[in-house]
Amino acid sequence: MFYLTSAGLLSAQDTVWVKPDWGEYLVHDIFIGYNGSPTQNSQLRNNYHSIEVGLWRSKVLQYNHPASSSIYIGQEIGLSSKNLIHGTKIGGQVAAFLFIFGAELTHHTDYRSHSATISPYIGYGLYPFRLTFAWRARLTNKEFMPLSSLNVNVSFRILKLKSKKVRD
């Protein structure tokens, strides 16, 4: 039985087809996303919800096992306890086998106070979609109340600006 199954599995690797769009691409896109942070203390603040728009530069590998790496900048606008929060972020990520690992540096302000954070994250997805869970490590103003230490993000491409095949 082992001989029959192993022979079939080994021959399956010999007959891999080649798709016409295989290769390595350099892509520039506009992404849109949603961020949510659950409340830590409902008496002090409500949950934080925001919409973000970003410009992404990605290297995308489209082979049998797709992978990608991206750097990005973005702006987010959100609400927490009826306060408007504005955030600017810069980040990077790598993705392979539907897993994403990355980090972003973010500056949030409610125009009375502000906080800079670094957020390592892990998630699910592959270019051009991601669902991530991040932990915010505050670098400045640890008392900035509108944000909790957990952030959930869903992002996807809305517009492809430029795509260039760099390798077959």
Side-chain angles (χ1 to χ4, degrees):
M1 185 64 160
F2 175 74
Y3 175 75
L4 293 175
T5 56
S6 63
L9 293 173
L10 291 174
S11 68
Q13 294 299 316
D14 187 41
T15 59
V16 174
W17 78 95
V18 176
K19 294 173 29 179
D21 64 342
W22 274 10
E24 185 176 320
Y25 293 86
L26 188 58
V27 185
H28 295 82
D29 298 310
I30 294 178
F31 273 69
I32 191 166
Y34 163 79
N35 292 289
S37 293
T39 186
Q40 291 175 329
N41 185 341
S42 60
Q43 295 175 349
L44 294 176
R45 71 170 189 88
N46 293 331
N47 292 342
Y48 173 67
H49 303 280
S50 73
I51 299 295
E52 74 174 276
V53 176
L55 178 62
W56 292 52
R57 181 178 186 269
S58 304
K59 187 179 214 180
V60 180
L61 305 174
Q62 293 182 347
Y63 297 106
N64 274 346
H65 306 291
S68 65
S69 64
S70 303
I71 56 173
Y72 56 91
I73 57 173
Q75 297 289 317
E76 69 179 70
I77 299 289
L79 289 174
S80 176
S81 299
K82 298 183 182 178
N83 292 332
L84 181 68
I85 309 294
H86 175 241
T88 302
K89 63 174 63 177
I90 183 167
Q93 70 182 26
V94 293
F97 301 109
L98 299 177
F99 294 105
I100 296 175
F101 302 96
E104 57 190 26
L105 183 63
T106 309
H107 178 264
H108 287 96
T109 183
D110 62 1
Y111 302 104
R112 289 185 297 271
S113 183
H114 66 90
S115 180
T117 61
I118 188 162
S119 303
Y121 59 83
I122 187 170
Y124 173 79
L126 196 59
Y127 175 86
F129 168 80
R130 75 176 185 177
L131 168 65
T132 61
F133 301 93
W135 174 73
R136 282 194 182 106
R138 292 190 181 152
L139 302 174
T140 62
N141 195 2
K142 300 200 184 318
E143 289 80 36
F144 188 66
M145 286 308 299
L147 302 174
S148 71
S149 58
L150 176 65
N151 184 55
V152 178
N153 175 276
V154 177
S155 297
F156 55 92
R157 179 184 70 210
I158 59 169
L159 180 63
K160 183 181 282 193
L161 298 176
K162 181 177 163 185
S163 178
K164 176 181 166 185
K165 190 170 190 176
V166 291
R167 191 179 319 175
D168 287 332

